[in-house]
Amino acid sequence: MELAYRLTEPITVVTGETGHTRLMELSEGSVVLCTDFSAESVGMIEGTCQGIHLLMFRRDLEERTVPVPTQLRRIERFRAPRAMSA
């Protein structure tokens, strides 16, 4: 099950998108998608933000995010842009 969270404050995450592990800051308002966040999760949580795979601290997820409905997120992601008519 995919869960979505909107950041209420910036958080620092770990990403390896460039082939090297690095720290990156996600800004307030960013939406992260997580698939394995459960009561048994300890330490780091895997997720994605704008297609970038990342690891974030569970504590940051609990203290600096609010849940958002994933159904709404899917609609926004697949909505086709409107063509401009002259």
Side-chain angles (χ1 to χ4, degrees):
M1 176 181 206
E2 194 172 71
L3 303 171
Y5 299 90
R6 184 175 310 278
L7 274 58
T8 57
E9 303 176 39
I11 65 169
T12 301
V13 298
V14 179
T15 182
E17 286 296 305
T18 61
H20 302 285
T21 304
R22 68 183 184 106
L23 297 176
M24 178 175 133
E25 184 176 89
L26 297 181
S27 61
E28 178 181 340
S30 297
V31 174
V32 294
L33 301 175
C34 304
T35 54
D36 68 348
F37 183 51
S38 66
E40 294 83 34
S41 299
V42 178
M44 303 292 279
I45 305 295
E46 290 185 49
T48 60
C49 181
Q50 297 180 349
I52 299 172
H53 295 281
L54 47 87
L55 290 171
M56 67 201 98
F57 286 106
R58 176 189 170 113
R59 186 171 180 168
D60 285 341
L61 201 60
E62 292 172 340
E63 296 177 355
R64 300 178 183 191
T65 66
V66 292
V68 294
T70 55
Q71 293 295 343
L72 178 60
R73 178 75 178 131
R74 286 191 182 114
I75 290 169
E76 290 173 2
R77 186 170 36 191
F78 294 112
R79 181 179 301 156
R82 293 184 181 182
M84 299 284 291
S85 58

